[in-house]
Amino acid sequence: GVKDFRVRHRTVLRPSPHSAMLGRSLARAVRPRLSRGLATGETYDMVVIGGGPGGYPTAIKAGQLGMKVACIEMRGRLGGTCLNVGCIPSKALLHSSHLYEEAAKGWGPHGISADNVKMDLDKLMKHKAKTVTGLTGGIEGLFKKYKVDYFKGKGEITAPGSVAMHPMEGGPAQTLSTKNIVIATGSVPAGVPGATVTVDNDAKVIVDSTGCLDLEKIPEKLIVIGAGVIGLEMGSVWRRLGTEVTVVEYLDRITPGIDDEIAKKFKQILEKQGMKFKMGYAVKSATNEGGKGKLVMDPVGGGATETLEADVILSATGRVPYTEGLGAENVGVKLGARGMVEIDDHFATNVPGIYAIGDAVRGAMLAHKAEEEGIAIAEQLAGLGGHVNYDAIPGVIYTHPEVASVGKTEEQLKGEGVAYKVGTFPFMANSRARAMADADGLVKFLIQDGGAHDGMVLGIHIIASNAGEMIAEGVLAMEYGASAEDIGRTCHAHPTMSEAFKEAAMSAYGKPIHF
């Protein structure tokens, strides 16, 4: 039972519901027998080192598939950087600060005015903490539901099939025997290359992203080193609350890796909001001078050294894999640049029975990429066909407006010599965006020009207030190999922001209606 589903420009074979059910039955039939409920001290099917957005879904999926699995997390709370000191707390601050700015400045077009709008920073931080605590506790509940053994401590690989769990509270290590080890140790903030920048989050002057989430007062001035995702998100939080924010970037553009046209428009929007930029500067040092931050920098193109001062300096130059104390050297696991664990196309290291996923390995350092890899390796080790399509991994910057993308940029397509066409549609021509007085941004499509896959979507890039949600349609389209015309001929509700998505697709293969 195979049905022929014809998508424009190509034919794909998709199993019928009957054959899909048969396939799942066969998969269950050939699935290896997995141990469950073994006595303490006996062998696990899998030990996961790290309980972040890669590690905990790995453990949960393994439990769902019938494995006896353990997860070791040294933080004492599950969720990793993302949930504890990254994605989730930053989004709480981003949303709350946006509401504050809207109340203070943004309601005018709607005929609403508010006097004496105040921010209670202590209350805001309590909301952030409550959000984190609730979610981390929820993961512990899921571990219990799927019978995952949770160990609070640091995992060290001592031999193939053996992990020493060093308890948080100290004391002797406990040895866990296992058939498979999955490294999901994540990443930590990177330093500033070639510069003397000593982060001290407790002093709250020279901070990394973790420290910037926990400032106890709103700084008058903030310097951000690095115009990437973390720096621009955190800079936006404090700018909205009244801080003068200056971003210092080594390159001549912001957000490396983002489509160049999108990056330029995004920078213009941020500048209009009041964020300042110093592009093309190499930071030499950032120091705490009696409770004030002092930054020394040189123009990349040559010229006189410059000095900036601020209440807080945020070092936001990206992240590096965290493998300290992992025990890779004990068993000969190969590490590459910056401590990255080297793996093959099936997440396997050079040591049989040891695998690695997430920020500790190659690819984008994104929580959802790590989760997909974790689920895939659990399925593989259960005898199923786990797989990750790296061409359909979205990226989002949660400023306002948001920036979201999936697939290739225009610069990548040019570099690869791919023939392509571009379609764009501005939100100024979108009725819902105009009605909300929130029309900054555009949707940009990149599609194949000619050949067997003429019209197939190669990349989608969005600047919009809801870009992070809207990009999901583009990810689904790319996952199924859709063409721009498939999207352009799909009815979208009116009036919605997503109509701009449809019209950008129409622009790529023909002409939009409203522009």
Side-chain angles (χ1 to χ4, degrees):
V2 174
K3 292 184 178 179
D4 185 0
F5 283 72
R6 296 190 180 276
V7 181
R8 187 176 182 267
H9 308 301
R10 77 173 192 166
T11 301
V12 295
L13 296 179
R14 188 89 36 87
S16 69
H18 173 74
S19 63
M21 290 171 63
L22 176 62
R24 287 192 290 271
S25 297
L26 288 172
R28 284 193 291 268
V30 301
R31 187 181 301 165
R33 291 177 62 85
L34 299 166
S35 53
R36 163 66 77 191
L38 298 179
T40 303
E42 295 193 41
T43 302
Y44 284 98
D45 294 304
M46 178 193 294
V47 170
V48 183
I49 304 176
Y56 83 74
T58 307
I60 289 173
K61 176 55 70 174
Q64 291 172 342
L65 294 173
M67 296 189 197
K68 180 170 176 58
V69 57
C71 182
I72 306 171
E73 169 53 48
M74 70 176 189
R75 194 185 299 270
R77 290 195 302 189
L78 293 164
T81 292
C82 175
L83 210 156
N84 289 278
V85 291
C87 318
I88 302 305
S90 66
K91 300 314 162 284
L93 296 187
L94 280 159
H95 183 68
S96 297
S97 63
H98 174 64
L99 292 178
Y100 169 79
E101 186 173 48
E102 283 286 282
K105 303 176 183 176
W107 289 346
H110 305 287
I112 304 171
S113 61
D115 295 328
N116 200 29
V117 178
K118 295 180 179 179
M119 168 55 69
D120 185 333
L121 189 62
D122 183 58
K123 203 169 197 176
L124 170 59
M125 293 299 178
K126 287 179 180 177
H127 164 67
K128 179 201 70 171
K130 183 179 179 181
T131 302
V132 169
T133 302
L135 290 171
T136 54
I139 300 171
E140 286 197 39
L142 290 170
F143 271 18
K144 292 176 182 176
K145 179 178 180 179
Y146 294 110
K147 298 180 172 60
V148 175
D149 291 342
Y150 172 33
F151 293 92
K152 296 182 179 182
K154 190 173 179 67
E156 178 190 5
I157 304 170
T158 54
S162 183
V163 178
M165 193 286 294
H166 301 277
M168 281 183 61
E169 65 274 13
Q174 179 179 348
T175 297
L176 306 181
S177 297
T178 180
K179 299 172 185 175
N180 300 287
I181 299 169
V182 177
I183 299 167
T185 47
S187 61
V188 292
V192 181
T196 303
V197 178
T198 303
V199 169
D200 183 354
N201 288 331
D202 292 335
K204 303 190 184 302
V205 176
I206 313 296
V207 300
D208 58 20
S209 56
T210 299
C212 204
L213 289 167
D214 279 327
L215 298 181
E216 295 172 348
K217 60 182 180 180
I218 299 170
E220 290 186 19
K221 292 185 178 182
L222 169 69
I223 296 171
V224 178
I225 305 173
V229 175
I230 296 170
L232 297 181
E233 287 186 352
M234 296 312 304
S236 291
V237 166
W238 296 107
R239 181 202 58 75
R240 294 167 185 169
L241 300 182
T243 301
E244 180 185 312
V245 177
T246 302
V247 180
V248 177
E249 170 58 47
Y250 181 86
L251 301 176
D252 61 358
R253 54 158 295 164
I254 68 171
T255 56
I258 297 293
D259 184 271
D260 191 50
E261 179 184 7
I262 296 296
K264 288 176 180 176
K265 292 185 181 298
F266 181 39
K267 181 171 178 282
Q268 291 170 358
I269 292 170
L270 293 175
E271 287 175 325
K272 186 172 70 174
Q273 293 174 351
M275 194 173 287
K276 299 177 181 179
F277 290 90
K278 299 281 286 185
M279 310 302 294
Y281 281 87
V283 173
K284 294 179 66 178
S285 66
T287 53
N288 182 345
E289 304 285 342
K292 290 287 184 179
K294 179 180 178 182
L295 184 137
V296 179
M297 59 187 186
D298 288 334
V300 173
T305 296
E306 297 183 29
T307 300
L308 297 177
E309 294 184 349
D311 302 283
V312 178
I313 298 176
L314 165 62
S315 177
T317 53
R319 301 181 65 82
V320 293
Y322 179 75
T323 53
E324 181 182 334
L326 175 64
E329 69 282 359
N330 296 338
V331 289
V333 170
K334 291 179 68 174
L335 302 182
R338 304 187 305 167
M340 189 173 292
V341 181
E342 295 189 359
I343 57 171
D344 65 12
D345 291 338
H346 300 284
F347 313 109
T349 70
N350 60 302
V351 179
I354 302 179
Y355 305 84
I357 62 166
D359 285 7
V361 303
R362 64 186 179 228
M365 288 187 171
L366 296 168
H368 44 280
K369 176 256 195 186
E371 180 176 350
E372 295 300 318
E373 290 177 334
I375 292 170
I377 187 57
E379 290 177 336
Q380 286 181 24
L381 294 178
L384 305 176
H387 172 71
V388 178
N389 178 6
Y390 291 101
D391 290 328
I393 302 290
V396 183
I397 305 174
Y398 294 92
T399 49
H400 190 93
E402 297 175 348
V403 179
S405 62
V406 64
K408 301 289 188 180
T409 66
E410 201 168 344
E411 292 69 47
Q412 287 174 319
L413 294 176
K414 288 177 181 177
E416 295 169 8
V418 176
Y420 68 94
K421 291 191 287 188
V422 181
T424 61
F425 191 84
F427 280 97
M428 281 298 294
N430 175 266
S431 57
R432 183 69 184 277
R434 292 286 289 272
M436 296 190 302
D438 199 1
D440 280 337
L442 75 159
V443 181
K444 178 177 181 177
F445 267 70
L446 300 170
I447 67 172
Q448 182 80 39
D449 185 12
H453 301 303
D454 181 45
M456 188 169 72
V457 177
L458 303 176
I460 301 172
H461 309 275
I462 308 171
I463 302 177
S465 59
N466 66 338
E469 303 292 342
M470 193 181 299
I471 197 64
E473 182 178 358
V475 176
L476 187 64
M478 292 190 65
E479 184 68 36
Y480 281 87
S483 70
E485 190 170 343
D486 290 325
I487 298 168
R489 294 187 180 279
T490 298
C491 184
H492 288 62
H494 173 79
T496 59
M497 299 277 282
S498 64
E499 287 179 287
F501 192 90
K502 169 190 171 83
E503 296 227 43
M506 295 171 69
S507 175
Y509 71 84
K511 290 186 181 297
I513 297 299
H514 294 98
F515 190 68

